[in-house]
Amino acid sequence: MPSTPDPASWRPQPSPRPYPLVGVDLPGAGAHPQAWRREDSRAEELFGPRYWADLTGRLDAAGADIAFFPDRFGVASGPGTVRGRLEALGTAARLSTTTRRIGLVPTQTTTHTEPFHVAKAVQSLDHTTRGRAGWQVDVSADPAGYRLFGRKEVQDPADLWDEAAEVIEVASRLWDSWEDDAEIRDVATGRFVDREKLHYIDFVGRHFSVKGPSITPRSPQGRPVVVIAVTDQASRAVAVRTADIIRVAADDVDAAEALAGELRREAGDRELRILLDVDAHVDADEATAIRELAQLEEWAGEPYRGRTLLRVGSAASLVGLITDVGARPPLDGVVLRPLALAGGVTVLTQHVLPALRPPELARDDTTLRELLGLSRPANRYAA
Amino acid sequence: MTPRPKQIHLAAHFPGVNNTTVWTDPRSRSQIDIDSFVHLARKAEEGLFDFFFLAEGLRLREQGNRIFDLDVVGRPDTFTVLQAIAGVTTRLGLAATINTTFNEPYELAKQFATLDHLSEGRAAWNIVTSPDAFTGENFRRGGFLDYGLRYDRAAAVVSAARRLWDSWGRPPRIDRAAGVFAADEDLAPVDLHDGHVDITGRFEVPRSPQGQPVLLQAGDSSAGREFAAGHAEVIFSRHGTLADGQAFYADVKRRLPAYGRHADDLKILPGVSVVLGDTRQEAEDNARRIARQQVGPQTAIAFLEQVWGTDLSGYDPDGPLPAVDPSPHATITRGRVRHDRDPVAVAAAWRARAETEGLSIRDLVIAETHRQQFVGTADQVADEMNRYVQSDACDGFILVPHLTPGGLDDVIDRVVPRLQDRGVFRTSYEGATLRDLLGSRPAVSFAAVPSGPSAASGPGDPGPAASSTGRRGPVGVRG
Ligand SMILES: Cc1cc2nc3c(=O)[nH]c(=O)nc-3n(C[C@H](O)[C@H](O)[C@H](O)COP(=O)(O)O)c2cc1C
């Protein structure tokens, strides 16, 4: 039962800036399964660098805060929707040298991957972006994914998220396993590192064990930003304990506000940002947006039903929605999910983002944590 | 008309996590900062190199049960760096050293296909196999693999990856009017089961520009060479000297016909370094100075300890070698590749050499451990490099600089033009992909590659295929 947040039980965290945070989800051709059929979809470019560099480059220049790159294992079964995807962390890494300010947050699932590889890849993304990396943690519940790896029996959601929590724990230990000043380059003694400042993590869990330390030194943010989308009880339990950003879905802003209040209470006084997912198809002109959605629905043969609130209409109405979210303190901003990505990014960069914030707001040397107003974590191993 | 001389292939090795990378020099910069990678990659592309190369090690090395602290320590994730480099280069190949023991084939295939797509056909995989339990402590699988099985798993993993890459026979059909994005016949289901691999399903990345990334192999055993003959298009070798190189070259190339392959299909590139000077004397002085930087007093003792298998910190690096013999089974070092397997014999040889030549511990270690170097003026180095290639000691070189990141600047500025003058190195990039630069071809379809020359083809084995493209319908490997 959503309840009104009790302001006494959670501390409103200082807002990073006077503007609501705006992330953008970049799922292939768009959140709508038929988006690729639009003339402007750039469907032929989905597997090349130009599409991704162009979209993130324009979002970066327009001052969007975070680009999210969804991922999972397996391919859609039918030919009516986009089949195939590039690996998200590699895609984000490819963009690390062509963007300057925007946070890059790929999804890495924890069910079939090696925790050590996941941790060092995300940590390395933080190096290649100079502190703009995040990691959206997800699990691979789909039985088809298990058959691509052949290593385990299918797990239930509680077990999947229990394992995810272990991977997060291992990652954060590995990220701390080098103290910030471990590299000493001491010519007199011939020592490159002070090995007292490198730490075995000696993690032994229910699902695996990892010795450590990381092969990669501590990264600019100390720990890259951990993101979890709350989709069920199991993900929620892990999110409130470990996430720096929680993504929520809701039917309307009131429900989102109530949910965010609950999550903040459950999180105690941990620093945390909460972003509301918003499916969006907007245009400068409302009638065009409505007509275009009707076309997508006609191709699909059914009305669009996402898992969160949908805004179809004028760009101005989306600006109003985001501003409303920004005025409700348990929420810190939105993650926009354009139903049709290529056209959607154009509208966002021309009509939505400029109305929300001055583009020169972000400085080039800002880390994602700084942008979010989250402090750099102290190293658990440092004396 | 004289035939066109053999063309030289060049690659840039980012300075590694070992003593040849000099960090005490004031010009030495970060081995982590992306600017260092960008510097070397851009310079290599300016020099029209075939590819940029990253080594990998998945656990920090130890000596005497403690993390080894005398060399550069730490490196970022290979794929992540190469993707970042792909964003600031356009033609340079991008070679990732990736271990087949501690990775899963489906995920690797996805990562390499993504790199090949986003670099527009420049991805390469340097296949390494070290299965040590020490490294395994960082992984779910642990140290599960016997040393003797390392190439069995490598063959299974690489064959599975190739099968996945080939399962999209062509770019997906995209038909807006018909509402078809990749018809079923564009992506064949894959069904692979053997002792190492268990995959059922469809691959999720469409065919990449090269179809398959270029495959490299580094690993020196007979099993390793055989694996390379069956799978690789490039060998990263440690046989850099003329005689050693020629023997290795002949040994590997004679293995190719058994796999239906031609000598040109597998390029042999030893790791070497170059030291330049305006005169030969100056170059030799530079080489001596660099060698002493690479083997400082503490490093000299550390090398000795690796052979003797025991703490020798009481010895004077400028004094004589220990008179005691190594204990034959003691090992003090973990996480590095050992190529010498009989420490008593090595110690005897080292002692004899030190006595004959009057060498201190440090001098002896310098003499014994330095890799092949070309030392001289730019003209002399160009001549020597060319002589090695024309006399079949190799097909080119993976150049290993001693400084991060500017260690190849002078080679690229001064030696490359001399090679071009001699008509043995390209003057512009031609072709579209890394494979075009190398002039190689992938090994015959994986399905036809037995795990060794003695392995018999099983029933239902489709046999050698002229092309790995255009495959249709469900595929399977011998179980
Ligand atoms: C020139 C050369 C470079 C190598 N570089 C790496 C490396 O970067 N990372 C790694 O794990 N192993 C590396 N290896 C080790 C080989 O992968 C290892 O020796 C091999 O896989 C084990 O097989 P082998 O017995 O055939 O040598 C290298 C080997 C050679 C010869």
Side-chain angles (χ1 to χ4, degrees):
Chain A
M1 224 17 245
S3 57
T4 313
D6 169 7
S9 67
W10 56 272
R11 202 160 42 84
Q13 288 163 21
S15 178
R17 52 209 254 168
Y19 309 96
L21 292 163
V22 178
V24 181
D25 212 16
L26 303 173
H32 195 287
Q34 296 298 319
W36 67 272
R37 287 182 73 172
R38 287 165 51 97
E39 274 315 310
D40 70 352
S41 72
R42 303 176 69 175
E44 293 76 8
E45 296 179 69
L46 292 181
F47 305 103
R50 259 160 266 279
Y51 175 77
W52 299 99
D54 179 49
L55 295 189
T56 51
R58 284 192 285 142
L59 289 169
D60 189 31
D65 298 302
I66 308 176
F68 290 93
F69 301 87
D71 204 353
R72 61 187 204 84
F73 289 114
V75 70
S77 54
T81 60
V82 171
R83 295 173 105 181
R85 85 180 60 70
L86 298 177
E87 196 247 341
L89 198 132
T91 305
R94 169 64 178 72
L95 303 169
S96 58
T97 43
T98 60
T99 54
R100 297 158 62 123
R101 303 164 170 176
I102 194 166
L104 300 177
V105 181
T107 295
Q108 288 259 284
T109 52
T110 57
T111 308
H112 305 296
T113 50
E114 283 287 354
F116 190 85
H117 288 316
V118 170
K120 93 172 138 55
V122 173
Q123 188 181 25
S124 298
L125 185 66
D126 205 37
H127 283 291
T128 61
T129 58
R130 299 189 184 290
R132 295 184 286 125
W135 165 31
Q136 180 154 339
V137 182
D138 203 356
V139 300
S140 307
D142 180 3
Y146 288 81
R147 292 195 289 273
L148 299 172
F149 287 82
R151 274 170 86 168
K152 312 188 204 173
E153 300 299 319
V154 175
Q155 298 155 275
D156 64 26
D159 197 48
L160 284 167
W161 278 99
D162 183 63
E163 181 176 43
E166 288 193 356
V167 179
I168 295 169
E169 173 66 16
V170 160
S172 72
R173 287 194 201 181
L174 287 170
W175 295 338
D176 280 357
S177 65
W178 292 54
E179 295 184 34
D180 286 310
D181 53 356
E183 187 179 308
I184 52 172
R185 296 186 179 233
D186 185 42
V187 177
T189 59
R191 292 178 310 145
F192 183 81
V193 287
D194 177 354
R195 59 185 160 212
E196 303 304 318
K197 296 189 172 182
L198 300 180
H199 303 276
Y200 297 100
I201 69 163
D202 284 320
F203 177 86
V204 181
R206 281 205 321 117
H207 302 270
F208 49 80
S209 60
V210 175
K211 179 75 183 175
S214 179
I215 58 166
T216 309
R218 202 155 192 259
S219 69
Q221 296 186 95
R223 294 181 210 148
V225 170
V226 171
V227 182
I228 296 178
V230 166
T231 53
D232 57 12
Q233 275 309 321
S235 55
R236 176 172 177 156
V238 177
V240 296
R241 286 204 326 269
T242 63
D244 300 303
I245 295 176
I246 296 181
R247 288 175 61 173
V248 296
D251 292 336
D252 56 48
V253 180
D254 287 341
E257 181 181 15
L259 174 57
E262 290 174 29
L263 294 172
R264 288 205 184 272
R265 270 197 303 280
E266 291 165 23
D269 53 6
R270 286 182 52 240
E271 285 186 344
L272 172 67
R273 296 289 165 207
I274 300 178
L275 304 180
L276 169 62
D277 276 12
V278 177
D279 287 352
H281 189 71
V282 296
D283 192 274
D285 162 45
E286 176 172 8
T288 305
I290 291 170
R291 196 178 62 242
E292 289 181 351
L293 176 63
Q295 173 67 76
L296 291 170
E297 292 182 328
E298 189 193 316
W299 283 325
E302 58 185 2
Y304 178 69
R305 295 242 303 277
R307 49 174 284 273
T308 192
L309 67 89
L310 168 66
R311 177 55 52 103
V312 178
S314 67
S317 81
L318 182 59
V319 170
L321 172 72
I322 297 169
T323 307
D324 179 26
V325 167
R328 304 188 189 215
L331 293 166
D332 297 292
V334 295
V335 177
L336 301 176
R337 305 183 69 245
L339 294 196
L341 194 55
V345 165
T346 299
V347 177
L348 291 182
T349 54
Q350 289 180 356
H351 301 293
V352 177
L353 288 161
L356 287 166
R357 75 269 305 275
E360 69 281 5
L361 191 69
R363 299 196 325 271
D364 281 2
D365 56 356
T366 304
T367 69
L368 179 54
R369 280 186 179 277
E370 286 165 355
L371 192 93
L372 296 169
L374 301 175
S375 48
R376 189 175 190 272
N379 190 323
R380 80 187 67 201
Y381 298 110
Chain B
M1 211 177 98
T2 50
R4 194 166 103 113
K6 254 173 96 183
Q7 295 293 296
I8 298 180
H9 296 278
L10 293 177
H13 189 304
F14 191 82
V17 169
N18 51 50
N19 74 298
T20 58
T21 303
V22 172
W23 56 264
T24 50
D25 191 292
R27 290 168 296 174
S28 160
R29 296 274 173 277
S30 169
Q31 80 286 8
I32 301 298
D33 193 317
I34 186 63
D35 283 353
S36 295
F37 296 96
V38 170
H39 177 107
L40 182 61
R42 284 204 167 129
K43 194 73 199 176
E45 188 163 83
E46 189 187 316
L48 304 174
F49 277 33
D50 293 62
F51 59 90
F52 175 87
F53 181 95
L54 288 181
E56 184 188 62
L58 295 170
R59 181 152 175 200
L60 299 186
R61 298 177 306 158
E62 292 183 3
Q63 186 150 328
N65 290 321
R66 295 192 306 174
I67 288 166
F68 189 70
D69 59 1
L70 301 178
D71 294 342
V72 166
V73 187
R75 48 185 147 202
D77 176 66
T78 306
F79 286 115
T80 307
V81 170
L82 292 181
Q83 290 281 10
I85 293 302
V88 293
T89 52
T90 57
R91 298 305 318 275
L92 186 69
L94 303 167
T97 298
I98 294 290
N99 184 300
T100 49
T101 305
F102 301 112
N103 283 288
E104 294 304 312
Y106 188 89
E107 192 182 13
L108 278 189
K110 182 174 174 181
Q111 289 169 310
F112 273 112
T114 299
L115 182 62
D116 204 44
H117 274 292
L118 292 178
S119 66
E120 301 185 289
R122 298 188 280 140
W125 176 5
N126 178 38
I127 300 158
V128 297
T129 62
S130 329
D132 53 288
F134 173 73
T135 303
E137 285 181 346
N138 281 335
F139 295 97
R140 287 179 191 254
R141 282 193 177 276
F144 72 106
L145 197 59
D146 282 347
Y147 188 73
L149 294 177
R150 66 197 181 289
Y151 283 106
D152 289 357
R153 177 164 167 98
V157 169
V158 171
S159 297
R162 301 184 70 186
R163 192 72 83 152
L164 292 165
W165 292 323
D166 271 0
S167 68
W168 288 68
R170 60 181 181 205
R173 178 156 76 96
I174 298 175
D175 184 340
R176 287 176 172 74
V180 171
F181 191 110
D184 273 350
E185 34 322 344
D186 290 334
L187 58 161
V190 170
D191 210 352
L192 301 168
H193 309 280
D194 66 16
H196 298 282
V197 171
D198 195 358
I199 299 176
T200 307
R202 289 180 198 266
F203 189 48
E204 64 198 87
V205 189
R207 193 166 190 81
S208 70
Q210 295 189 105
Q212 304 187 353
V214 170
L215 299 182
L216 285 70
Q217 184 268 2
D220 204 39
S221 61
S222 178
R225 296 174 187 200
E226 203 60 44
F227 176 86
H231 290 274
E233 289 161 75
V234 176
I235 293 183
F236 176 24
S237 108
R238 49 190 286 270
H239 301 282
T241 63
L242 188 66
D244 193 19
Q246 285 171 329
F248 181 76
Y249 193 95
D251 176 68
V252 171
K253 299 243 173 175
R254 81 171 161 72
R255 297 173 194 252
L256 292 170
Y259 298 94
R261 304 184 71 200
H262 185 261
D264 279 350
D265 295 335
L266 177 58
K267 302 288 194 276
I268 295 174
L269 308 183
V272 301
S273 49
V274 171
V275 183
L276 295 177
D278 289 338
T279 62
R280 185 181 291 279
Q281 185 58 47
E282 187 186 291
E284 282 171 2
D285 290 346
N286 287 342
R288 250 187 307 279
R289 184 175 41 76
I290 293 167
R292 290 188 76 75
Q293 288 179 310
Q294 290 172 322
V295 183
Q298 298 89 351
T299 298
I301 297 297
F303 264 111
L304 215 59
E305 290 177 341
Q306 286 164 28
V307 174
W308 263 257
T310 182
D311 177 9
L312 300 175
S313 54
Y315 282 80
D316 175 5
D318 296 318
L321 273 73
V324 294
D325 272 338
S327 43
H329 301 300
T331 111
I332 193 170
T333 181
R334 296 195 293 180
R336 41 170 114 224
V337 183
R338 290 196 64 166
H339 296 288
D340 299 312
R341 309 232 183 254
D342 180 1
V344 179
V346 173
W350 282 19
R351 241 192 250 117
R353 180 170 184 185
E355 270 166 38
T356 322
E357 300 178 28
L359 303 177
S360 68
I361 289 175
R362 188 173 174 194
D363 294 334
L364 182 278
V365 169
I366 289 171
E368 283 289 337
T369 62
H370 93 281
R371 80 170 78 231
Q372 171 63 20
Q373 286 189 329
F374 294 103
V375 180
T377 65
D379 267 312
Q380 290 164 343
V381 166
D383 277 336
E384 274 298 275
M385 289 172 82
N386 191 31
R387 185 164 75 90
Y388 276 51
V389 171
Q390 302 310 332
S391 56
D392 284 350
C394 58
D395 297 302
F397 306 93
I398 295 185
L399 297 176
V400 188
H402 75 285
L403 283 182
T404 311
L408 289 183
D409 291 0
D410 59 350
V411 181
I412 288 160
D413 291 338
R414 296 165 64 190
V415 179
V416 165
R418 305 298 204 288
L419 294 172
Q420 291 167 329
D421 292 344
R422 286 158 176 76
V424 292
F425 191 67
R426 67 176 66 87
T427 52
S428 65
Y429 278 124
E430 273 154 32
T433 65
L434 172 58
R435 182 163 289 122
D436 293 336
L437 297 182
L438 288 164
S440 60
R441 282 182 304 169
V444 286
S445 176
F446 45 81
V449 177
S451 55
S454 59
S457 291
D461 190 316
S467 157
S468 54
T469 59
R471 183 170 297 281
R472 293 290 180 277
V475 289
V477 291
R478 283 168 283 129

